[in-house]
Amino acid sequence: MRRPFAALTPLLLLAAPTAAAPPEDRGAAWWAHVDYLASDALEGRLTGSPGHEKAVRYVIGQFQALGLKPAGVDGYRQPIAFTEQVVIADRSSAALVGPSGERPLSVPGDIIISGRGGAAPQALDAPMVFAGYGLHLPDAGHDDFAGLDLAGKVVVVLSGGPATISGALKSHARSERATWLASRGALGLIELVTPRQVEIPWDRRMALASQPGMYFSDPAMRDTATPFLSAQFDPAKSALLFAGSGRDFAPIAAAADAAAPVAAFPLAVRLKASVVTRRADLASPNVIAVLPGADRRLKNEYVVLSAHVDGLGVGTPIRGDAIYNGALDNASGVATLIEIARQLRRQKARPRRSILFAIVTAEEKGLLGARYFARRPTVPRDSIVADLNFDMALPIFPLTSVTPLGYDQSTLGKDAEVVGAALGLPIAPDPFPDRNTFIRSDQYAFIREGIPALFFKYGFKAGTAEAEKEKAWRANIYHSPFDDAQQPVMTDQAVRMNNYVAALTMRIANAKTRPSWNDDSFFKRFAQ
């Protein structure tokens, strides 16, 4: 059952005049979008699929009905060309080769080979080196690759990182490392997760292994220019990689769990792999719409609101269900943008700056749609002042605080704090900074291009009942067929979060000056 609807705070009437409507009506309107986008008829909205196209047409229809103007290159659409790459597991093979002989690995039982980023190598036989946390951050005084000979090797790295480095910075380093390693001549990357840091159980990861990967058809946009192996290893079997090295994986994992130093060293085993893939070209669009600003000068600047509409499509059945509906991930985010557009469109005072609504594709394939838009925007690049991103906010417990990831990097943090204070929603720091959440949604594509951005989550503290509920949702529902419209959701709390972001959007759009990076932010360099 969904929880009863909460009363709206009076300040919301200033931020969103439609708040005068009964909250149940607004919650029901929001949920109606989710209900359609996450229905079985759309078959999980896989990028490039007929179901995804149905979702695109639905969103365009909603924007047209609200009077938003098209801002793509083909009406509301910004088409993108992709290459789909599927790793055919039953025709692929892998083995560890060491002093004691050859140890076959099950694909994907022991090792999952990714089809993302770029072309996977057809054959590989290479030595391996363990590179600790795999963080290349010399400006922060930390470089796990320092002194290592990486050329011609497969690099093995472990989850976590030093507590002295921010979660945002560690996440950034992880997002860049495949590209950086390939530029140094490495042939592949195997990422390990300590058993204590597992977010999605390995059997669930195996179920997702049949999912197609994607990369840009344009080589200039790809992560790696040459074939590069990207893989994950079963946490319960990670010790196999350390056989014969004189090092035991258990104490290394314990050190990582404690954010203690983890040394790098050569591994005694080689990786031998044969990877069989199937590739196909496809196209899928971003949907871009604009609410023009009212100020004669500032209307040529844009506050972007982003959310991804793609999902995982149809995959390995779990308890008889093969449609990965993606209700909270991320039909809910798309629904939020539609409803915020409705609020802003109906209010008497138009925002001074223009509001650009970017419903992006291929987020589940590596933020590809957002990366394409951020690098090749449909408006002048320098006219984009900020991105506010909505993805899987999780209205599954009461909203008492907000975690706007990125708030500590730019002046957007102060805006978020002021709006939150007025609405009784203080800022809560990221409770799990080593989860990589900072780079796992579309706002990071904007940050990488020097644009200040925020990504919104319900706030909570580690060790609380809310933390346990969120953890259980990720373990049992996230990226599964059970993220559907049948799960319990607090629609009244979703309305409160929508109001918060609508108010924040108006504050940014009406400000005299555009947002700027904090002087001490690592990400300020991307604006230069």
Side-chain angles (χ1 to χ4, degrees):
M1 293 290 291
R2 297 184 190 115
R3 304 274 182 96
F5 295 98
L8 291 171
T9 164
L11 183 75
L12 296 184
L13 297 174
L14 301 176
T18 53
E24 62 269 21
D25 291 347
R26 298 185 62 211
W30 173 79
W31 189 252
H33 302 306
V34 178
D35 197 38
Y36 173 74
L37 292 169
S39 66
D40 284 356
L42 272 65
E43 297 184 313
R45 310 184 307 280
L46 180 69
T47 299
S49 70
H52 186 278
E53 175 60 20
K54 289 179 182 178
V56 165
R57 291 180 181 178
Y58 178 84
V59 171
I60 290 174
Q62 293 293 319
F63 285 164
Q64 287 176 324
L66 291 171
L68 301 188
K69 298 185 180 300
V73 297
D74 178 14
Y76 291 92
R77 296 170 184 258
Q78 182 189 32
I80 310 171
F82 298 112
T83 297
E84 181 183 76
Q85 179 174 239
V86 178
V87 175
I88 304 174
D90 59 3
R91 294 173 58 193
S92 300
S93 63
L96 298 177
V97 183
S100 59
E102 183 169 310
R103 205 274 190 194
L105 298 174
S106 170
V107 180
D110 299 328
I111 185 171
I112 295 173
I113 300 171
S114 173
R116 285 186 178 191
Q122 294 181 339
L124 181 72
D125 188 350
M128 296 195 290
V129 60
F130 177 63
Y133 295 119
L135 303 177
H136 175 65
L137 293 167
D139 290 353
H142 184 93
D143 187 0
D144 287 307
F145 303 118
L148 294 181
D149 178 13
L150 303 172
K153 293 183 172 64
V154 172
V155 181
V156 178
V157 301
L158 186 60
S159 58
T164 54
I165 301 175
S166 73
L169 200 50
K170 285 182 283 192
S171 294
H172 166 74
R174 294 180 193 116
S175 76
E176 302 287 316
R177 65 184 166 204
T179 303
W180 189 87
L181 287 171
S183 73
R184 266 61 180 179
L187 300 180
L189 172 68
I190 296 177
E191 296 178 310
L192 307 181
V193 178
T194 74
R196 283 189 59 189
Q197 294 181 41
V198 167
E199 180 181 342
I200 300 177
W202 186 253
D203 60 348
R204 288 261 312 288
R205 289 201 179 274
M206 287 174 56
L208 295 169
S210 61
Q211 281 276 323
M214 289 182 191
Y215 52 89
F216 292 112
S217 295
D218 182 351
M221 296 284 291
R222 296 178 190 170
D223 292 343
T224 57
T226 57
F228 187 85
L229 181 95
S230 294
Q232 304 169 57
F233 212 84
D234 182 357
K237 299 178 181 177
S238 296
L240 294 173
L241 296 168
F242 296 83
S245 68
R247 312 290 182 96
D248 184 6
F249 177 66
I252 294 173
D257 290 336
V262 175
F265 53 86
L267 296 173
V269 294
R270 302 170 62 88
L271 178 68
K272 185 168 71 172
S274 172
V275 184
V276 179
T277 60
R278 181 180 67 251
R279 299 188 182 109
D281 293 331
L282 61 84
S284 183
N286 293 329
V287 177
I288 314 296
V290 64
L291 175 63
D295 186 272
R296 183 165 55 89
R297 180 179 61 86
L298 293 180
K299 70 179 181 181
N300 295 317
E301 296 182 351
Y302 299 87
V303 179
V304 176
L305 299 184
S306 59
H308 75 91
V309 72
D310 65 294
L312 297 175
V314 179
T316 302
I318 300 178
R319 299 206 292 272
D321 192 349
I323 298 177
Y324 290 61
N325 303 83
L328 296 187
D329 183 22
N330 184 43
S332 66
V334 176
T336 285
L337 262 60
I338 293 171
E339 288 305 299
I340 288 177
R342 188 186 313 280
Q343 289 179 238
L344 300 182
R345 189 74 179 86
R346 288 181 174 177
Q347 66 185 17
K348 293 181 180 179
R350 284 167 52 200
R352 297 177 69 196
R353 288 182 176 85
S354 296
I355 311 300
L356 201 69
F357 293 86
I359 307 298
V360 295
T361 188
E363 187 271 354
E364 299 290 2
K365 306 305 177 184
L367 317 185
L368 299 184
R371 287 167 59 187
Y372 191 89
F373 178 83
R375 292 176 66 177
R376 299 179 179 178
T378 59
V379 297
R381 159 65 185 77
D382 290 342
S383 68
I384 300 175
V385 305
D387 172 63
L388 304 180
N389 184 58
F390 237 91
D391 185 3
M392 208 174 83
L394 295 188
I396 58 176
F397 49 79
L399 179 66
T400 58
S401 61
V402 178
T403 298
L405 292 160
Y407 74 92
D408 54 348
Q409 301 297 322
S410 75
T411 58
L412 291 176
K414 182 62 177 178
D415 293 321
E417 182 181 358
V418 170
V419 172
L423 300 182
L425 295 172
I427 288 178
D430 184 0
F432 304 117
D434 279 324
R435 262 188 185 168
N436 267 2
T437 309
F438 183 75
I439 64 164
R440 282 169 59 176
S441 193
D442 295 305
Q443 87 293 337
Y444 181 68
F446 292 86
I447 289 171
R448 191 62 184 81
E449 297 302 314
I451 299 167
L454 297 176
F455 170 28
F456 301 98
K457 293 289 186 182
Y458 280 47
F460 60 88
K461 294 181 179 180
T464 61
E466 291 81 4
E468 289 304 309
K469 190 165 188 177
E470 192 261 5
K471 183 178 180 181
W473 190 92
R474 286 179 177 268
N476 300 308
I477 297 176
Y478 176 52
H479 281 185
S480 83
F482 311 116
D483 180 16
D484 60 17
Q486 307 309 310
Q487 63 187 301
V489 172
M490 296 182 174
T491 55
D492 61 319
Q493 301 303 300
V495 170
R496 292 188 65 214
M497 178 65 100
N498 295 354
N499 287 331
Y500 170 83
V501 177
L504 180 57
T505 300
M506 287 297 292
R507 178 180 171 87
I508 298 165
N510 291 335
K512 291 181 179 180
T513 58
R514 58 193 291 162
S516 60
W517 293 101
N518 296 340
D519 289 338
D520 61 351
S521 173
F522 173 89
F523 302 98
K524 182 179 180 180
R525 67 192 63 196
F526 298 133
Q528 300 168 347

